[in-house]
Amino acid sequence: MKCVSELYDRYPNSDIYVVGTGASLRVFPLSLLDNKITIGLNQAWKTVPVRYSITIHPELSIPEFLPSEPAHPEITWITKYEKTKGVATPEQLRYAEEQFYFFETAGRPNTQPPNKPSDTGRMLDWVRRPTDDKLYLWTSIAQSGVNLAANMGAKNVFLIGCDNCALLGNNHAHKQHTRWRDASADSRYREYYEGLAEMRPVLRERGVNLVSLTPFLSLAAPEQDFMRLCEDLDRPSLIESGADISPKLDYTGYYVDRFKKFARKVLAAR
């Protein structure tokens, strides 16, 4: 098994591009990424060739795990071993153990209710300095991608297609599922932003710049320029999202379990 720490310091003082699947990627000049060091998030590889990719949902994102998708051996995948082991066939698992790099996010007990993103990997100390195979993860895999880029030696980390919002009803650059976990899309997007925003000053202390690149010529009304670019480039202005694949959450069971744990602690303290 390969560990993500084997990738650290591979590109000292470099520019690394973290590529998401936000709608802006649909109209981004992809030639800008030619010969660049890229880390794709989840299904970004469907829109742009990437050198590395990171996900915590291998069953949804890694082409070798998807039916009817050709293999992409040119992509170096970074994922979580326990997630892979839980969904892979024996053959897929052997392939993953030989080819993928694995990271961890367990840092402390989760304090969030079942409909909120787990905060077990919300560890800014891991952003402050490389820490074993740990990568920050709170609300979005973009955060782990940024942490990985910094650990690989990036001086400048550029976000592309990490919109942290919808554009004219578009959630993604291409047809893709959503995963809102019983919350509104806007509330989830705010959480995506908050995680990156709290990482930014910590990265700055480390001498790493975190910047978002967009194809838009004005920040006053990006939706307007998005529509204009769609027309200029003959791209669809709306691609409906796929189904919301959030897990069905057992709220009653969750709170009963938390109460039982609390009761056991009280009894043990007596």
Side-chain angles (χ1 to χ4, degrees), residues 25 37 46 98 150 155 159 214 224 251:
L25 188 65
I37 306 163
K46 287 187 173 182
E98 292 173 0
K155 172 68 175 176
L159 297 170
T214 82
Q224 261 185 12
Y251 294 102

Side-chain angles (χ1 to χ4, degrees), residues 16-244:
I16 297 182
Y17 297 78
V18 175
V19 185
T21 58
S24 69
L25 188 65
R26 194 184 311 159
V27 293
F28 195 88
L30 299 182
S31 61
L32 185 147
L33 296 173
D34 290 350
N35 302 313
K36 301 295 195 302
I37 306 163
T38 50
I39 300 173
L41 308 177
N42 294 326
Q43 296 183 14
W45 57 269
K46 287 187 173 182
T47 300
V48 57
V50 289
R51 191 178 306 186
Y52 299 91
S53 280
I54 187 168
T55 187
I56 60 167
H57 293 291
E59 76 283 8
L60 300 175
S61 301
I62 297 179
E64 285 81 0
F65 286 17
L66 300 176
S68 305
E69 285 288 350
H72 283 266
E74 75 281 4
I75 301 175
T76 298
W77 278 94
I78 299 96
T79 188
K80 296 178 70 175
Y81 184 73
E82 64 270 26
K83 291 280 188 175
T84 305
K85 191 175 181 181
V87 300
T89 66
E91 294 77 14
Q92 289 171 335
L93 186 60
R94 280 195 295 273
Y95 177 83
E97 289 173 343
E98 292 173 0
Q99 303 296 330
F100 299 173
Y101 291 82
F102 297 100
F103 73 103
E104 301 170 6
T105 60
R108 59 186 173 194
N110 179 36
T111 66
Q112 298 302 299
N115 63 325
K116 298 285 283 182
S118 169
D119 61 0
T120 185
R122 190 182 182 184
M123 305 290 291
L124 286 173
D125 278 348
W126 300 347
V127 181
R128 194 164 282 115
R129 64 189 65 84
T131 307
D132 302 321
D133 297 304
K134 310 282 191 179
L135 295 177
Y136 177 110
L137 177 65
W138 174 34
T139 54
S140 166
I141 194 63
Q143 297 148 11
S144 304
V146 167
N147 197 169
L148 173 61
N151 290 355
M152 291 172 109
K155 172 68 175 176
N156 302 300
V157 180
F158 295 102
L159 297 170
I160 293 174
C162 298
D163 301 341
N164 299 322
C165 69
L167 290 171
L168 294 179
N170 288 266
N171 290 303
H172 298 103
H174 51 252
K175 184 75 171 181
Q176 190 176 322
H177 60 268
T178 58
R179 194 179 176 93
W180 305 132
R181 296 176 66 90
D182 291 348
S184 70
D186 286 344
S187 67
R188 288 290 174 250
Y189 283 133
R190 283 194 296 273
E191 291 169 342
Y192 296 173
Y193 162 78
E194 286 297 336
L196 289 167
E198 75 175 21
M199 294 175 72
R200 181 169 52 187
V202 179
L203 289 166
R204 191 182 302 123
E205 292 171 6
R206 187 172 162 179
V208 179
N209 299 310
L210 178 61
V211 178
S212 181
L213 299 183
T214 82
F216 308 129
L217 302 182
S218 171
L219 296 181
E223 296 89 349
Q224 261 185 12
D225 209 20
F226 175 71
M227 177 65 77
R228 185 167 182 162
L229 279 167
C230 286
E231 293 171 356
D232 291 346
L233 300 169
D234 195 24
R235 309 253 166 93
S237 60
L238 177 63
I239 295 178
E240 298 281 358
S241 293
D244 188 330

